């Protein structure tokens, strides 16, 4: 399963070069008793350009850890993370991220939040305004441009976070369970919104979730992780064409894939009723 | 009406929300009660006037001292010392404390010393300061500076430490440099906490001031209190206490207002 020696992959033709490559990445956390916990163990996978890749796995299997490494917010213990073939060192605007918790800057209004990265890049005010207006419209928050985060619902906050990340036009968008804290109704709306936005932009996305429906609905490819230590157990391609819609969760391909993932995540459990 | 709780029931419910009017009325009632007890004890002759002046006597003395200019002079003397000490302390403690909370290196350097000094009562240092600095205004400023600085340092470092990590991480992934994360994220995120800590420590600064003035001073509210004790002028002591209380209330409200103005987003 794991292609640990890197030489075999590097020789692949340049045209097929992945946008994001995770190569033999391991991550140890100190356990506070002088030893360490293995959070990730020799994880390797590629995300080709314009692909929506989804990581699923049980809680605590290292999904967030992996995303933080890709973002450059933490250092690998061993292995390498490459963007366009170049190793990443530290965080940068080429890898945008939407976090598991709410991370809007509460002292800035929605518009200023979305403009944060653009301002750092030195984009002139007029152009900035145009870009912000575009993404406000994309996430349906034009009316809330001047609101502050304390007046926004959880779903709205995550929409701003998505707009903020997209406005910066990153090479890769990393999303860590962005809808994990939302109620199921809002979650559905957010999934629809993200599908629509992605089908227009075709960003390279690495999306983390532990909701299997969400993984199949959004992803082109699903990477199933196993826990303790975190490893990629299987890579699955989602055979459903775009544009996608919510109704497709009832289709046989969808259900078959869902059963396959459920079996990987809970090998001993009977999945009959879950798959219904 | 039937299924609504009565006001009494609501007052007895833990952690409940009461209407603003009830809160105000209860507060006013307490003040009225306080004055009634005072009037009862003093005017009623329960406590001799040598120990407890009547409210009118205090007001009268206050008016008199205001007219002849001694009261404004002493108030200004006290306020000047408190403000100088407090502002100096804050100017040093805000950057240093925030650095301490932000950079583990600075924390490792300062925390052991600060935690040692923090538990020493500032009063223990008053004789030392008198010996070193004398009994002038500088000595009182030093007492306040010493009393507030180390407490502030710890409070400000806690403020910085409580800024959510992912707020900084979000800024980094949006292309912020370390400098801009510091100024555009850490600084604004710390502002409400800093203002709250300032409000609390300002109260402490007043306490240290009076301590310093009782020991060695030739002006100020603590000083006139002490002088009044020697002359059995209990009304002046009461006046000094009331004014210190009122000044405390004013600065407290000023900080509240400032907090609302510059960090209203954190309500
Ligand atoms: N800073 C840390 N120090 C020590 N251990 C950590 C740290 N962060 C994470 N871990 C451990 O590493 C493992 C992976 O954590 P991680 O947050 O990446 O999991 P996750 O898959 O994102 O989980 P969830 O689905 O609950 O968000 C867990 O066992 C966790 O306890
Ligand atoms: Mg996580």
């Amino acid at each position: 399963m794991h292609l640990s020696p890197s030489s075999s992959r590097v020789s692949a033709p340049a045209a097929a070069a992945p946008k994001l490559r995770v190569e033999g990445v391991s991550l140890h956390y100190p356990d506070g008793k002088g030893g360490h916990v293995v959070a990730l163990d020799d994880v390797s996978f590629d995300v080709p350009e314009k692909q929506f890749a989804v990581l699923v796995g049980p809680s605590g299997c290292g999904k967030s850890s992996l995303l933080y490494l890709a973002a450059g917010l933490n250092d690998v213990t061993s292995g390498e993370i490459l963007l366009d073939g170049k190793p990443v060192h530290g965080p940068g605007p080429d890898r945008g991220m939407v976090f598991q918790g709410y991370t809007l800057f509460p002292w800035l209004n929605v518009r200023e939040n979305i403009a944060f990265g653009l301002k750092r890049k030195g984009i002139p005010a007029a152009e900035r305004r145009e870009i912000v207006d575009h993404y406000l419209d994309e996430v349906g928050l034009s009316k809330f441009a001047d609101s502050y985060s304390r007046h926004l619902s959880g779903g709205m906050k995550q929409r701003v976070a998505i707009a903020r990340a997209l406005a910066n036009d990153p090479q890769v968008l990393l999303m860590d369970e962005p809808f994990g804290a939302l109620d199921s109704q809002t979650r559905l709306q957010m999934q629809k919104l993200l599908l629509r936005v992605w089908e227009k932009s075709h960003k390279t996305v690495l999306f983390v979730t532990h909701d299997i429906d969400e993984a199949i609905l959004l992803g082109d490819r699903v990477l199933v992780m196993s826990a303790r230590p975190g490893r990629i157990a299987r890579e699955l391609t989602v055979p459903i064409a775009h544009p996608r819609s919510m109704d497709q969760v009832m289709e046989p391909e969808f259900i078959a894939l869902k059963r396959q993932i459920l079996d990987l995540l809970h090998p001993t459990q009977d999945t009959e009723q879950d798959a219904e | 009406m039937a299924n609504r709780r009565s006001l009494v029931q609501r007052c007895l419910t833990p952690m409940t929300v009461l209407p603003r009017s009830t809160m105000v009325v209860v507060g006013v009632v307490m003040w009225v009660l306080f004055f009634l007890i005072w009037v009862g004890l003093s005017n009623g002759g329960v406590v001799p006037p040598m120990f407890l002046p009547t409210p009118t006597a205090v007001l009268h003395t206050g008016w008199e001292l205001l007219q002849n200019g001694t009261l404004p002079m002493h108030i200004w003397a006290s306020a000047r010392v408190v403000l100088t000490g407090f502002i100096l302390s804050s100017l040093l403690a805000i950057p240093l404390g925030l650095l301490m909370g932000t950079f583990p290196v600075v924390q490792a350097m300062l925390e052991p010393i600060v935690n040692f000094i923090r538990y020493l009562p500032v009063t223990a240092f008053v004789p030392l300061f008198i010996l070193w600095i004398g009994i002038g205004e500088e000595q009182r400023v030093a007492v306040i500076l010493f009393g507030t600085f180390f407490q502030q340092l710890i409070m400000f470092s806690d403020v910085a430490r409580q800024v959510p990590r992912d707020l900084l991480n979000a800024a980094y992934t949006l292309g912020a440099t370390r400098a801009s994360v510091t100024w555009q994220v850490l600084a604004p995120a710390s502002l409400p906490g800093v203002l709250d800590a300032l409000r609390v420590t300002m109260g402490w600064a007043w306490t240290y001031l009076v301590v310093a003035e009782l020991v060695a001073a030739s002006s100020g509210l603590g000083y006139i209190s002490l002088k009044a004790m020697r002359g059995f002028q209990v009304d002046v002591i009461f006046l000094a206490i009331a004014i210190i209380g009122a000044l405390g209330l004013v600065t407290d409200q000023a900080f509240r207002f400032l907090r609302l103005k510059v960090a209203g987003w954190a309500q």
Side-chain angles (χ1 to χ4, degrees):
Chain A
M1 178 89 269
H2 301 288
L3 301 171
S4 18
S6 52
S7 53
S8 61
R9 284 178 163 196
V10 170
S11 59
K19 195 76 197 169
L20 183 75
R21 165 168 282 186
V22 174
E23 209 164 73
V25 164
S26 296
L27 177 69
H28 299 176
Y29 285 115
D31 65 359
K33 287 175 261 162
H36 62 255
V37 194
V38 182
L40 295 169
D41 183 34
D42 191 24
V43 173
S44 299
F45 64 89
D46 289 343
V47 184
E49 182 152 23
K50 293 178 192 288
Q51 186 174 76
F52 197 121
V54 182
L55 274 171
V56 292
S59 186
C61 72
K63 304 182 296 297
S64 296
S65 300
L66 190 53
L67 238 55
Y68 277 67
L69 290 176
L73 295 169
N74 196 3
D75 297 324
V76 297
T77 306
S78 64
E80 212 165 24
I81 289 173
L82 305 139
L83 182 74
D84 286 324
K86 287 187 277 298
V88 306
H89 294 292
D94 49 359
R95 283 148 294 138
M97 182 142 167
V98 179
F99 292 80
Q100 198 166 359
Y102 303 126
T103 55
L104 294 200
F105 306 121
W107 56 91
L108 300 179
N109 65 26
V110 168
R111 172 178 294 285
E112 292 161 337
N113 261 286
I114 299 175
F116 186 90
L118 302 172
K119 225 169 172 174
R120 303 280 92 70
K121 276 189 187 168
I123 290 172
E127 196 183 332
R128 216 157 59 208
R129 206 179 165 78
E130 219 170 278
I131 297 171
V132 172
D133 281 338
H134 171 75
Y135 284 100
L136 273 171
D137 187 49
E138 282 285 276
V139 298
L141 286 177
S142 300
K143 283 205 191 100
F144 293 88
D146 300 319
S147 301
Y148 286 83
S149 80
R150 69 178 190 281
H151 296 309
L152 302 178
S153 68
M156 288 159 112
K157 282 185 218 179
Q158 286 310 64
R159 276 190 274 168
V160 179
I162 292 170
R164 183 174 69 176
L166 284 174
N168 228 21
D169 195 22
Q171 299 284 309
V172 175
L173 182 58
L174 307 165
M175 305 181 87
D176 188 4
E177 297 193 43
F179 313 142
L182 306 177
D183 62 88
S184 57
Q185 211 57 28
T186 313
R187 209 180 163 105
L188 277 176
Q189 281 175 4
M190 298 291 287
Q191 289 164 354
K192 263 190 242 173
L193 180 132
L194 186 60
L195 256 186
R196 194 171 44 66
V197 171
W198 185 81
E199 279 165 357
K200 269 194 268 175
S201 70
H202 280 274
K203 276 261 164 260
T204 311
V205 178
L206 181 56
F207 185 101
V208 163
T209 181
H210 53 227
D211 178 333
I212 298 168
D213 282 337
E214 185 169 271
I216 303 172
L217 184 70
L218 298 174
D220 295 320
R221 194 158 60 114
V222 179
L223 306 159
V224 184
M225 285 184 79
S226 63
R228 259 168 273 275
R231 285 205 176 104
I232 305 288
R234 183 79 63 83
E235 299 190 15
L236 300 161
T237 304
V238 180
I240 303 169
H242 285 280
R244 294 186 186 161
S245 78
M246 290 297 157
D247 307 330
Q248 280 163 315
V249 297
M250 294 304 176
E251 284 174 15
E253 303 98 305
F254 194 105
I255 292 169
L257 192 56
K258 183 173 174 179
R259 178 161 308 165
Q260 203 177 347
I261 296 171
L262 275 169
D263 283 340
L264 284 165
L265 292 175
H266 316 278
T268 52
Q269 203 171 300
D270 181 15
T271 53
E272 278 307 293
Q273 62 270 59
D274 294 84
E276 272 312 299
Chain B
M1 208 55 206
N3 57 5
R4 287 191 55 182
R5 290 171 301 161
S6 75
L7 196 58
V8 176
Q9 263 179 322
R10 290 176 66 182
C11 287
L12 296 177
T13 310
M15 305 296 265
T16 190
V17 179
L18 289 177
R20 178 139 182 81
S21 57
T22 314
M23 300 293 279
V24 172
V25 167
V26 171
V28 170
V29 164
M30 283 312 285
W31 273 108
V32 171
L33 216 62
F34 172 79
F35 274 102
L36 281 180
I37 292 171
W38 186 3
V39 167
L41 290 178
S42 59
N43 295 59
V46 182
V47 182
M50 202 181 109
F51 296 119
L52 187 69
T54 60
T56 41
V58 174
L59 275 179
H60 182 77
T61 312
W63 179 245
E64 226 167 52
L65 294 180
L66 196 67
Q67 294 273 291
N68 68 22
T70 47
L71 192 58
M73 192 270 276
H74 288 293
I75 290 176
W76 173 233
S78 286
R80 200 173 54 220
V81 172
V82 165
L83 288 177
T84 313
F86 182 74
I87 290 171
L88 277 179
S89 169
S90 306
L91 285 180
L92 290 170
I94 292 174
L96 217 54
L98 293 180
L99 281 176
M100 210 171 130
T102 313
F103 295 96
V105 190
V106 184
Q107 186 190 355
M109 282 191 311
L110 296 180
E111 209 168 52
I113 306 173
V114 173
N115 275 335
F116 172 69
I117 300 176
R118 194 157 76 98
Y119 289 105
L120 300 173
V122 65
T123 40
F125 287 83
V126 172
L128 191 63
F129 288 155
I130 293 178
L131 195 69
W132 283 350
I133 318 175
I135 57 164
E137 205 168 293
E138 300 82 4
Q139 183 265 135
R140 276 166 278 153
V141 170
V143 170
I144 290 168
L145 189 63
F146 196 83
T148 44
F149 176 74
F150 296 98
Q151 312 289 343
Q152 283 187 332
L153 215 51
I154 295 292
M155 291 174 87
F156 293 143
S157 81
D158 279 345
V159 166
R161 212 164 297 131
Q162 272 160 24
V163 174
R165 253 309 220 326
D166 277 346
L167 227 47
L168 309 194
N169 286 337
Y172 280 125
T173 61
L174 291 166
T177 58
R178 276 183 290 201
S180 69
V181 163
T182 306
W183 293 108
Q184 312 295 331
V185 181
L186 261 174
S190 303
L191 186 63
V194 165
L195 289 174
D196 286 341
L198 285 177
R199 186 158 74 94
V200 173
T201 48
M202 184 73 188
W204 299 347
W206 272 105
T207 313
Y208 302 134
L209 169 86
V210 177
V211 169
E213 283 180 344
L214 286 177
V215 178
S218 52
S219 62
L221 294 165
Y223 162 76
I224 57 169
S225 244
L226 194 73
K227 213 175 68 169
M229 180 196 77
R230 297 198 179 113
F232 293 103
Q233 294 165 292
V234 74
D235 47 344
V236 177
I237 300 181
F238 268 74
L239 183 68
I241 291 171
I243 288 171
I244 292 169
L247 288 176
L249 210 64
V250 169
T251 36
D252 197 73
Q253 289 300 317
F255 271 116
R256 263 173 208 271
F257 180 75
L258 192 68
R259 167 93 148 73
L260 213 64
K261 279 282 141 188
V262 302
W265 53 266
Q267 283 320 294

